[in-house]
Amino acid sequence: AQSVTQLGSHVSVSEGALVLLRCNYSSSVPPYLFWYVQYPNQGLQLLLKYTSAATLVKGINDFEAEFKKSETSFHLTKPSAHMSDAAEYFCAVTSYSGGSNYKLTFGKGTLLTVNP
Amino acid sequence: GAVVSQHPSRVICKSGTSVKIECRSLDFQATTMFWYRQFPKQSLMLMATSNEGSKATYEQGVEKDKFLINHASLTLSTLTVTSAHPEDSSFYICSAREGLAGGPLSEQFFGPGTRLTVL
């Protein structure tokens, strides 16, 4: 079964600093990977997804992630943190659930705080 | 982008009562909807997948008689927590997928969530 592991439940950075949120996957087949962001008391918003078309994926709000098969990783980065980036970030992988359905399996999340 | 709404956003109820949560796709037809449960500072756990017009598929360990899911139309799915107890208190989030074709890359659009507190 496909799964993802997020390293670090809490990451704190200064405004303007590099953001690095780590995600490793486990999959017996080529994975389809996603990063979502959740602001307090809100649902999830898709940041980006890996489609196997390119290993470096660019998403919204200047976030990007690089798929590294050799390291089974899909880490999320942003060159310069903004206060508005403070949120919970979830890595997820798609797995087949029968019929025509695919489901998302989420990591435990990483809370990003941005200090002024 | 596609919008999914949930109602209510917050509900407090007494133990033993039933609570219904609605999930609507506002500007697209959702053939498949998903219900998740999220405990404080934890990840989303998929509870069930519902396809319009058919019975929901529940994940292992989720009581289908406890959490009733109805996906009666292409824009509405409901989750009813029956005989709620304090341990059912949680943040419930729905998501919807557009169109007939699923596929591993088909995007899910998430609702804002419903916070249920059972006293």
Side-chain angles (χ1 to χ4, degrees):
Chain A
Q2 283 84 348
S3 66
V4 289
T5 302
Q6 291 182 243
L7 301 176
S9 60
H10 186 196
V11 170
S12 181
V13 300
S14 298
E15 191 174 18
L18 171 72
V19 175
L20 171 60
L21 305 181
R22 301 176 187 273
C23 174
N24 288 88
Y25 69 88
S26 174
S27 177
S28 57
V29 297
Y32 296 101
L33 297 160
F34 303 76
W35 273 101
Y36 285 87
V37 60
Q38 183 182 31
Y39 297 100
N41 296 313
Q42 294 187 29
L44 275 68
Q45 179 182 1
L46 179 66
L47 279 175
L48 49 82
K49 60 183 176 183
Y50 170 67
T51 66
S52 75
T55 56
L56 184 62
V57 182
K58 294 188 182 298
I60 62 173
N61 300 337
D62 294 327
F63 281 96
E64 61 182 37
E66 186 172 7
F67 176 77
K68 292 186 177 181
K69 185 178 178 180
S70 61
E71 299 178 7
T72 62
S73 68
F74 189 57
H75 301 332
L76 181 71
T77 60
K78 180 172 179 175
S80 177
H82 193 272
M83 296 295 289
S84 60
D85 295 325
E88 187 90 25
Y89 291 80
F90 292 96
C91 182
V93 63
T94 296
S95 59
Y96 180 63
S97 58
S100 61
N101 287 322
Y102 289 82
K103 64 180 182 180
L104 286 171
T105 300
F106 290 88
K108 292 188 175 182
T110 298
L111 177 65
L112 174 68
T113 57
V114 182
N115 305 307
Chain B
V3 179
V4 175
S5 70
Q6 280 185 243
H7 178 79
S9 59
R10 186 181 297 267
V11 58
I12 301 173
C13 69
K14 293 183 179 181
S15 184
T17 60
S18 294
V19 174
K20 179 183 284 189
I21 302 170
E22 293 185 348
C23 176
R24 294 183 185 272
S25 56
L26 298 186
D27 50 3
F28 67 99
Q29 294 186 327
T31 53
T32 305
M33 287 185 167
F34 304 84
W35 286 96
Y36 296 85
R37 184 173 180 176
Q38 185 180 29
F39 290 103
K41 300 187 184 304
Q42 294 190 30
S43 186
L44 281 76
M45 299 299 296
L46 180 64
M47 299 174 66
T49 301
S50 72
N51 291 301
E52 185 267 337
S54 61
K55 290 183 179 181
T57 302
Y58 290 82
E59 293 298 298
Q60 192 172 8
V62 177
E63 300 175 62
K64 59 183 178 182
D65 295 330
K66 172 80 171 174
F67 299 99
L68 301 179
I69 292 172
N70 186 355
H71 191 167
S73 78
L74 287 173
T75 59
L76 174 65
S77 176
T78 60
L79 168 67
T80 301
V81 183
T82 62
S83 186
H85 291 283
E87 57 266 29
D88 298 323
S89 298
S90 190
F91 195 51
Y92 292 88
I93 300 175
C94 74
S95 70
R97 195 175 65 202
E98 183 176 15
L100 295 175
L105 289 170
S106 58
E107 186 172 349
Q108 291 184 31
F109 300 97
F110 287 80
T114 296
R115 185 163 301 284
L116 170 64
T117 303
V118 184
L119 302 177

